Amino acid sequence: MSGSVGSSQGLSVRGLAKHYGQTPVFQNVSLDVAPGEFVAIVGESGVGKSTLLNCMAALDTWDAGRIVHQGVDLGTLDGEQRAVWRRRQVGFVFQAFHVLPHLDVSQNIALPLMLQGRRDDARVAQMLAAVGLAGTGARLPQQLSGGQLQRVAIARALVHRPALLLADEPTGNLDPATAGKVMELLTLQTREHGASLVLVTHSEAAAARADRVLHLRADGIAQA
Ligand SMILES: Nc1ncnc2c1ncn2[C@@H]1O[C@H](COP(=O)(O)OP(=O)(O)OP(=O)(O)O)[C@@H](O)[C@H]1O
Ligand SMILES: [Mg+2]
């Protein structure tokens, strides 16, 4: 595939810098996440955690540095190649969920499979049950609570067994017991299926499950 660099596995970020116009967000951000590894990122509101995840998903651009996933240098991919890479490799739990309002719950969860031309009703049902939403598949998002919507977003991020799992405050709207179940699902995809998990969180309970906790600051990222 074009953009291949060596045979490196997992995710590698090197010297990443990002500005919005004249305003710097972060610089000198470097980290590695191996297959099967779970890295948590913490940091103050507004420091750029969501921006960094968006860069790792090639949903945003950066001004300096490199992001390489399983040998693919994301900076060398054009828009179409990025979209194809993302569909195959990435599961993303957005901070604001981004559940599609006109699709029902099952259709929202099935979306990553549909985008790959796959249909797997059993897998969708399995994910619905796994996030505690069995029986809600035919409902529209507006008929769900905030925590239920967050669980739809988590099921959608996992349904296609992505190699790179990026989650932005995935337990922010959940009670501790439900949050614990969701963390089990995210870590299962990591520990048993070898995904690289990058999770942004303010939750100490969630960060406690990580292999490493990194603190994002304007001038870089370091062990918390
Ligand atoms: N599209 C944009 N245009 C200009 N500035 C932006 C844009 N998106 C984000 N920013 C700014 O970039 C900075 C980083 O935002 P980001 O959303 O990544 O922070 P965050 O660490 O995720 O914060 P939080 O913990 O509140 O979610 C903020 O100062 C924000 O105001
Ligand atoms: Mg954020």
Side-chain angles (χ1 to χ4, degrees):
M1 179 173 184
S2 75
S4 273
V5 181
S7 59
S8 57
Q9 293 297 303
L11 180 75
S12 166
V13 178
R14 282 288 165 277
L16 208 72
K18 172 75 180 170
H19 298 75
Y20 281 117
Q22 295 295 310
T23 314
V25 182
F26 52 70
Q27 59 180 336
N28 201 27
V29 170
S30 298
L31 68 139
D32 292 289
V33 190
E37 194 177 23
F38 169 9
V39 170
I41 295 180
V42 299
E44 286 168 27
S45 177
V47 79
K49 303 180 299 298
S50 296
T51 303
L52 178 58
L53 282 194
N54 284 335
C55 291
M56 289 172 175
L59 284 166
D60 203 347
T61 57
W62 48 95
D63 304 298
R66 260 166 43 123
I67 304 178
V68 179
H69 178 248
Q70 292 183 346
V72 177
D73 184 337
L74 302 188
T76 67
L77 305 182
D78 66 22
E80 177 61 25
Q81 290 169 321
R82 285 177 181 218
V84 169
W85 170 79
R86 200 179 304 120
R87 275 179 218 161
R88 290 201 183 129
Q89 304 290 341
V90 180
F92 202 124
V93 185
F94 292 95
Q95 193 169 16
F97 314 152
H98 294 318
V99 168
L100 299 185
H102 302 297
L103 299 184
D104 71 24
V105 165
S106 288
Q107 290 167 329
N108 265 287
I109 293 172
L111 204 58
L113 298 173
M114 293 304 196
L115 288 171
Q116 294 181 44
R118 290 159 60 196
R119 182 171 176 172
D120 189 342
D121 294 344
R123 174 71 177 160
V124 172
Q126 181 194 10
M127 292 314 304
L128 261 172
V131 296
L133 291 177
T136 70
R139 287 205 216 165
L140 287 171
Q142 67 194 24
Q143 299 169 309
L144 298 186
S145 72
Q148 289 170 330
L149 281 179
Q150 186 154 44
R151 285 181 277 153
V152 173
I154 289 156
R156 181 182 58 186
L158 289 166
V159 73
H160 55 312
R161 302 190 191 283
L164 179 59
L165 197 43
L166 305 170
D168 203 346
E169 290 281 11
T171 59
N173 292 62
L174 304 179
D175 63 273
T178 308
K181 283 187 205 148
V182 159
M183 288 306 302
E184 289 290 327
L185 283 177
L186 293 170
T187 50
L188 187 76
Q189 178 63 18
T190 308
R191 306 298 186 207
E192 294 192 8
H193 300 283
S196 298
L197 170 60
V198 182
L199 182 132
V200 166
T201 189
H202 293 295
S203 157
E204 284 182 19
R209 293 172 179 257
D211 297 306
R212 284 180 292 137
V213 181
L214 302 178
H215 195 141
L216 181 63
R217 297 186 176 83
D219 61 351
I221 193 164
Q223 207 83 29

